[in-house]
Amino acid sequence: ETGVTQTPRHLVMGMTNKKSLKCEQHLGHNAMYWYKQSAKKPLELMFVYSLEERVENNSVPSRFSPECPNSSHLFLHLHTLQPEDSALYLCASSQDAGAAKNIQYFGAGTRLSVL
Amino acid sequence: ILNVEQSPQSLHVQEGDSTNFTCSFPSSNFYALHWYRWETAKSPEALFVMTLNGDEKKKGRISATLNTKEGYSYLYIKGSQPEDSATYLCAFRGAYKLSFGAGTTVTVRA
């Protein structure tokens, strides 16, 4: 148990659906992250939030919409996704976004399939 | 896009044998090198964070070295056990973010 919880663990959605991924951290961290991992590829950073403010948006299509209502919760809202968006989505948190030595604590991920 | 390469992509080790694998990364704008261990269906977990050239870190039977001048890090597993089976990720920390390699998947055969 890393202290970072993601729900749901698995999600199947159609291209016209709207769904949300949820991440919660109980570590008192100030930074939260969304990563995407497609098959056989490295983890790809999508968004970074620091103190509830988005500080990084890594050229992610607008069909992915993050939300950070407080420092413990992070959402990823999904709408009109494409089949190529099928992937594992990982959430992580760290003490803050700036220090290079701060390790990131990951959730177990949401496995998303877009039909 | 930062190039963080890990090799080999996968390896099989007999229980009790030792093994090592490589992470290569840019030698400029280096802030830190992170190693994570990721077991199937679990969360990636941090093993080491290294910042100084020549750094060596050890955790049980697993150790890592760092060469920032030439841009590589080695991870060593001594006396591999079945519980060491996992994907090992390295991540280069530049000025702003972590850039991950694709990982080395280690399978330890009993």
Side-chain angles (χ1 to χ4, degrees):
Chain A
E1 177 59 56
T2 63
V4 179
T5 305
Q6 288 187 244
T7 54
R9 291 294 305 273
H10 300 273
L11 179 62
V12 179
M13 59 187 289
M15 288 190 284
T16 58
N17 291 159
K18 288 185 181 180
K19 296 285 184 184
S20 296
L21 310 185
K22 180 182 176 182
C23 177
E24 188 172 357
Q25 57 99 358
H26 310 279
L27 301 168
H29 289 165
N30 293 319
M32 295 187 79
Y33 310 80
W34 279 117
Y35 287 90
K36 173 184 178 182
Q37 193 197 31
S38 304
K40 303 290 184 187
K41 291 187 177 178
L43 288 178
E44 179 186 335
L45 181 65
M46 300 175 75
F47 301 105
V48 181
Y49 275 83
S50 177
L51 297 170
E52 299 143 50
E53 191 174 321
R54 193 191 309 180
V55 295
E56 178 96 17
N57 178 350
N58 228 22
S59 303
V60 179
S62 59
R63 57 185 184 270
F64 295 92
S65 174
E67 179 191 2
C68 188
N70 55 62
S71 59
S72 298
H73 293 87
L74 184 66
F75 295 90
L76 188 63
H77 304 299
L78 315 170
H79 63 99
T80 58
L81 294 193
Q82 304 298 309
E84 60 265 28
D85 297 322
S86 299
L88 180 69
Y89 290 84
L90 285 167
C91 171
S93 71
S94 67
Q95 187 59 53
D96 61 66
K101 292 177 72 172
N102 284 350
I103 63 174
Q104 293 186 9
Y105 293 79
F106 286 86
T110 295
R111 175 70 62 186
L112 173 66
S113 297
V114 182
L115 303 178
Chain B
I1 297 175
L2 290 173
N3 223 16
V4 181
E5 302 282 348
Q6 291 189 248
S7 64
Q9 185 176 351
S10 63
L11 59 91
H12 291 78
V13 190
Q14 200 65 36
E15 183 177 357
D17 287 351
S18 297
T19 189
N20 65 84
F21 38 92
T22 310
C23 171
S24 62
F25 51 85
S27 53
S28 59
N29 294 321
F30 175 88
Y31 282 69
L33 196 283
H34 294 224
W35 279 101
Y36 289 81
R37 169 195 161 89
W38 193 0
E39 291 183 66
T40 303
K42 294 189 177 180
S43 314
E45 290 188 357
L47 284 172
F48 307 114
V49 179
M50 296 185 287
T51 57
L52 298 175
N53 185 44
D55 239 357
E56 289 189 32
K57 299 273 186 178
K58 189 175 180 184
K59 188 175 185 176
R61 292 176 292 94
I62 301 177
S63 60
T65 60
L66 179 68
N67 183 323
T68 60
K69 294 187 177 180
E70 295 180 43
Y72 65 84
S73 175
Y74 291 126
L75 194 96
Y76 299 88
I77 305 176
K78 184 177 177 183
S80 304
Q81 299 297 309
E83 58 265 30
D84 296 327
S85 296
T87 295
Y88 292 83
L89 304 175
C90 71
F92 170 86
R93 179 55 155 89
Y96 302 108
K97 64 180 185 181
L98 281 179
S99 297
F100 283 84
T104 293
T105 299
V106 175
T107 304
V108 181
R109 294 179 288 218

